[in-house]
């Protein structure tokens, strides 16, 4: 397992495409919590289950004032097709070129296989990572850790 950025670390800012002609910058979300979910690939079974779960409980993330961003090394066109097919209601960001640059910045890139690990980060309103977790690629990490971290931010 890679050494992902730990809690207490400032979250590296980035700008990534969410569609072929639109980009999102992490700093746009300053002032609210962000859940950053790195995952290996669109269309893979475990990723599909994980992202479907997050889509299903998106209102719980939003009840904590948090935005959810999915990140993989797939391209923007792939993300658009995947989000449309799965009816996802949160942005998928393309860490495509240079491949895995943002994943690398967070310590979540798998050099051997060329994709992002299944890594989760909860970033507070000031841009500081308050919780991070890396799950084995074949295991859906669920949402309990994310929700606990968001509840902790409110205390």
């Amino acid at each position: 397992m890679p050494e992902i950025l730990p809690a207490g670390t400032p979250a590296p800012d980035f700008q990534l495409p969410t569609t072929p002609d639109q980009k999102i910058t992490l700093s746009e979300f300053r002032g609210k919590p962000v859940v950053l979910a790195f995952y290996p690939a669109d269309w893979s079974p475990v990723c599909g289950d994980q992202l479907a779960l997050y889509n299903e409980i998106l209102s719980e993330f939003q009840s904590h004032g948090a935005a959810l961003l999915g990140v993989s090394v797939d391209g923007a066109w792939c993300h658009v097709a995947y989000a449309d097919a799965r009816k996802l209601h949160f942005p998928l960001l393309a860490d495509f070129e240079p491949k895995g640059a943002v994943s690398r910045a967070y310590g979540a890139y798998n050099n051997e296989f060329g994709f992002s690990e299944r890594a989760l980060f909860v970033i507070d309103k000031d841009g500081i990572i308050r919780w991070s977790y890396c799950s084995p690629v074949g295991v859906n990490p669920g949402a309990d850790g994310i929700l606990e971290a968001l509840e902790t931010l409110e205390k």
Side-chain angles (χ1 to χ4, degrees), residues 15-84:
Q15 182 180 59
L16 289 174
T18 187
T19 69
D21 61 350
Q22 295 177 316
K23 293 183 178 185
I24 287 181
T25 305
L26 180 61
S27 57
E28 289 174 35
F29 296 91
R30 197 59 49 91
K32 69 189 303 184
V34 174
V35 176
L36 200 54
F38 289 91
Y39 63 98
D42 295 339
W43 310 106
S44 73
V46 177
C47 295
D49 291 346
Q50 179 185 7
L51 297 179
L53 169 65
Y54 296 166
N55 196 56
E56 198 173 300
I57 65 166
L58 187 59
S59 63
E60 289 188 50
F61 295 153
Q62 293 168 338
S63 74
H64 293 285
L68 171 63
L69 304 174
V71 182
S72 84
V73 299
D74 290 314
W77 286 111
C78 187
H79 282 333
V80 169
Y82 184 69
D84 185 53

Side-chain angles (χ1 to χ4, degrees), residues 72-124:
S72 84
V73 299
D74 290 314
W77 286 111
C78 187
H79 282 333
V80 169
Y82 184 69
D84 185 53
R86 298 298 298 245
K87 304 201 179 342
L88 300 179
H89 299 289
F90 58 91
L92 300 179
L93 307 180
D95 193 10
F96 184 70
E97 187 59 40
K99 187 176 182 183
V102 175
S103 293
R104 290 175 207 275
Y106 281 78
Y109 189 75
N110 183 313
N111 284 309
E112 182 180 356
F113 296 107
F115 57 66
S116 298
E117 292 285 346
R118 197 172 305 285
L120 301 169
F121 298 87
V122 172
I123 302 166
D124 72 13

